[in-house]
């Protein structure tokens, strides 16, 4: 009998210790509440959502990228758009334009890279809501070669995502080496694009680590705030139906899909 009693006693101690563990922090506090967002001014894109709120929420939920070891071309110039999704439910939708300068494609026998191209128009879309003083991530669409032969893009619920900080805060996404498809986990990444995508835990950094998206709100197709952007003597038109070249246009390489149709697809 004694061993059984001791076993039960240990079980009770374990249960009580688990109950005493603080609940996992959820959501992001310290951001403007809906009352300070809806119908606030200035509102340059005329979507009923104040510009300051758009920036603060977008910056707070900005994804953290887990960049693979051996990545050759992760340089980028990120932008964003935000809009109300459902005012009654206090929900917002945020679109992050990754705007990578180039895609290095799939290595082939170490001689050249297959499908390499200038510019890479991958993106992420996050739906968030406000409740009890905090903003929460609900779901995220992660693009991975959208509308190509190896499309591995998709929606993920908050429970399917990883986080660098608070649960249901800014998601951590895995970036496929050289090709930049975005995934919710290393395992999902390694299955992407017919098993030609791969991810490894190299380093983590915010999508826009220096600028934090300040002055990077493109607005919407109906009310553009940023379209033509000139960098290193080359101009990209982010909202027009023109290929995205990553501020480069090498004659021997193709370019990337325009962002315009992507923005339209998600209601921007």
């Amino acid at each position: 009998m004694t061993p059984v009693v001791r076993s039960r006693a240990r079980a009770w101690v374990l249960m009580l210790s688990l109950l005493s563990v603080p609940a996992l922090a959820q959501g992001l506090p310290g951001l403007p509440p809906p009352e300070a967002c809806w119908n606030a001014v200035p509102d340059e894109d005329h979507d009923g959502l104040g510009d300051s709120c758009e920036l603060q929420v977008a910056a707070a939920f900005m994804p953290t990228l887990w960049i693979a070891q051996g990545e050759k071309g992760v340089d980028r110039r990120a932008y964003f758009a935000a809009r109300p999704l459902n005012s009654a439910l206090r929900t917002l939708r945020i679109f992050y334009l990754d705007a990578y300068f180039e895609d290095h494609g799939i290595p082939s026998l170490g001689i050249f890279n297959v499908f390499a191209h200038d510019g890479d128009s991958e993106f992420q879309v996050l739906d968030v809501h406000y409740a009890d003083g905090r903003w929460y991530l609900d779901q995220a669409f992660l693009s991975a070669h959208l509308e190509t032969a190896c499309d591995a893009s998709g929606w993920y619920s908050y429970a399917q995502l990883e986080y660098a900080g608070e649960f249901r805060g800014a998601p951590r996404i895995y970036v496929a080496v050289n090709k930049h498809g975005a995934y919710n986990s290393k395992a999902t990444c390694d299955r992407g694009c017919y098993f030609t995508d791969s991810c490894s835990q190299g380093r983590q950094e915010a999508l826009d680590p220096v600028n934090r998206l300040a002055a990077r709100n493109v607005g919407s197709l109906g009310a553009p705030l940023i379209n033509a952007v000139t960098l290193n003597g080359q101009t990209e038109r982010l909202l027009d139906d023109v290929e995205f070249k990553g501020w480069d246009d090498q004659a021997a390489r193709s370019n990337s899909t325009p962002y315009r149709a992507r923005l339209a697809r998600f209601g921007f």
Side-chain angles (χ1 to χ4, degrees):
M1 286 295 291
T2 301
V4 174
V5 171
R6 287 178 179 173
S7 177
R8 289 177 177 173
R10 284 195 295 268
W12 277 107
V13 169
L14 176 60
M15 184 179 297
L16 290 173
S17 66
L18 291 174
L19 290 174
S20 66
V21 175
L24 184 66
Q26 295 191 29
L28 300 180
L31 295 172
E35 294 76 16
C37 294
W38 270 266
N39 301 315
V41 292
D43 175 17
E44 293 189 22
D45 55 1
H46 310 298
D47 61 359
L49 191 65
D51 299 336
S52 176
C53 176
E54 290 187 6
L55 174 59
Q56 291 183 66
V57 176
F61 280 96
M62 179 170 54
T64 293
L65 308 183
W66 204 312
I67 298 168
Q69 296 176 356
E71 169 64 49
K72 294 179 181 178
V74 77
D75 292 339
R76 58 198 181 275
R77 185 180 174 87
Y79 291 83
F80 81 97
R83 70 174 180 86
L85 193 58
N86 187 311
S87 58
L89 297 178
R90 298 176 161 190
T91 55
L92 303 180
R93 173 163 287 178
I94 312 165
F95 189 112
Y96 297 94
L97 298 75
D98 298 344
Y100 292 103
F101 294 164
E102 59 184 328
D103 178 315
H104 281 268
I106 306 170
S108 175
L109 303 178
I111 301 171
F112 63 93
N113 290 346
V114 180
F115 305 126
H117 54 82
D118 290 329
D120 198 3
S121 53
E122 300 288 4
F123 64 93
Q124 294 81 48
V125 180
L126 272 59
D127 290 347
V128 302
H129 83 275
Y130 182 88
D132 301 323
R134 292 172 179 262
W135 286 93
Y136 296 84
L137 176 62
D138 294 327
Q139 61 178 353
F141 183 90
L142 309 183
S143 78
H145 326 301
L146 182 65
E147 296 174 351
T148 68
C150 63
D151 187 349
S153 310
W155 283 103
Y156 299 90
S157 72
Y158 70 85
Q160 294 175 293
L161 296 163
E162 296 182 9
Y163 302 89
E166 292 87 347
F167 181 65
R168 299 190 70 174
R172 175 168 56 210
I173 63 174
Y174 289 78
V175 180
V177 63
N178 298 336
K179 301 191 307 177
H180 311 137
Y183 298 92
N184 69 321
S185 69
K186 182 181 183 302
T188 308
C189 173
D190 291 342
R191 296 192 299 268
C193 193
Y194 301 107
F195 295 90
T196 63
D197 273 347
S198 65
C199 289
S200 60
Q201 298 175 352
R203 71 181 191 274
Q204 295 185 76
E205 63 184 39
L207 175 63
D208 187 14
V210 177
N211 194 60
R212 303 295 299 181
L213 300 175
R216 297 280 181 85
N217 186 351
V218 300
S220 66
L221 299 179
L225 302 182
I226 298 174
N227 187 12
V229 178
T230 301
L231 185 66
N232 299 326
Q234 303 226 25
T235 300
E236 292 294 334
R237 304 189 72 84
L238 299 175
L239 304 186
D240 288 353
D241 191 20
V242 294
E243 292 181 327
F244 177 63
K245 307 177 183 67
W247 294 274
D248 196 2
D249 191 12
Q250 301 178 52
R253 301 178 73 180
S254 60
N255 301 310
S256 189
T257 306
Y259 269 116
R260 183 181 180 87
R262 311 309 199 208
L263 288 159
R265 173 176 178 155
F266 291 93
F268 291 90

